[in-house]
Amino acid sequence: QSVLTQPPSASGTPGQRVTISCSGGHSNIGINYVYWYQHLPGTAPKLLLYRNNQRPSGVPDRFSGSKSGTSASLAISGLRSEDEADYYCAGWDNSLRGPVFGGGTKLTVL
Amino acid sequence: EVQLLESGGGLVQPGGSLRLSCAASGFTFSSYAMSWVRQAPGKGLEWVSAITGSGGSTYYADSVKGRFTISRDNSKNTLDLQMNSLRAEDTAIYYCAKLDEVVPAGAAFDIWGQGTTVTVSS
């Protein structure tokens, strides 16, 4: 059981906009930043967004993030086949004194 | 080029020990906190442990506290994870990851290694 809750799966067709939700609590998302990762099996995870909605260099602006209260979401617009991957939200938890991850959402591009 | 390279994974019996290492290059190693994150078969990412840039403070997930020890050698740019009393549920790919801060206070793992596989089985 992950501290942060994500839907196990999401899907969309090329060109569509999809969103992935991440629900937490007052000790993590409620008072700390949210981070998003893209992970293709067999490869190293990649930091997609940091501090809720900031993109590292090289991440296309098709990826965006938002946060409200104890929930956050990742939006991917102009969906492409190469976006098919597992996506994880993460954040620091003040009660656990460490980072916590969501359970991950498998995105399928139909 | 910024790079993290893990080593030390393998097959170990329950109750056994294993030491993972991570060699870092391409950045000022001592300026950043480092961490280990694992992924069990069919499961999601799980944070395991972190250490400050100086090595003066360490952090552990409850699932490994008392069994795993994280350490670093800033003179050699290496990060280690000593794993004792291993259990079947410790079976996972273990990733070395750089945090974008000196003291862990977020989850900005900006650089990751390719991972090393640990299998705990008799």
Side-chain angles (χ1 to χ4, degrees), chain A residues 13-79:
Chain A
T13 56
Q16 262 191 334
R17 181 178 186 270
V18 296
T19 61
I20 296 171
S21 63
C22 175
S23 176
H26 297 291
S27 62
N28 42 69
I29 293 179
I31 53 173
N32 293 313
Y33 291 119
V34 178
Y35 304 78
W36 289 92
Y37 293 87
Q38 180 188 61
H39 188 205
L40 290 155
T43 70
K46 174 186 175 183
L47 179 63
L48 210 55
L49 295 172
Y50 64 98
R51 293 191 179 183
N52 302 333
N53 55 18
Q54 301 300 299
R55 285 184 302 276
S57 173
V59 174
D61 58 6
R62 301 187 297 106
F63 295 90
S64 61
S66 64
K67 185 183 108 167
S68 178
T70 58
S71 294
S73 64
L74 167 70
I76 309 172
S77 59
L79 199 61

Side-chain angles (χ1 to χ4, degrees), chain A residues 35 37 39 43-45 88 92 99 101, chain B residues 39 44 47 95 106-107 109 112-113:
Chain A
Y35 304 78
Y37 293 87
H39 188 205
T43 70
Y88 295 88
W92 184 268
F101 284 92
Chain B
Q39 183 178 34
W47 172 73
Y95 296 99
F109 302 100
W112 296 67

Side-chain angles (χ1 to χ4, degrees), chain B residues 66-122:
Chain B
R67 300 187 299 123
F68 290 11
T69 302
I70 191 172
S71 61
R72 65 190 296 161
D73 185 335
N74 286 345
S75 68
K76 297 180 180 178
N77 290 357
T78 57
L79 174 74
D80 288 341
L81 185 69
Q82 177 66 41
M83 304 185 296
N84 298 331
S85 303
L86 282 162
R87 307 166 180 167
E89 53 263 37
D90 295 317
T91 295
I93 298 172
Y94 284 73
Y95 296 99
C96 168
K98 169 186 171 289
L99 278 157
D100 191 26
E101 48 205 0
V102 176
V103 177
F109 302 100
D110 59 350
I111 304 295
W112 296 67
Q114 289 299 311
T116 186
T117 300
V118 172
T119 304
V120 184
S121 175
S122 54

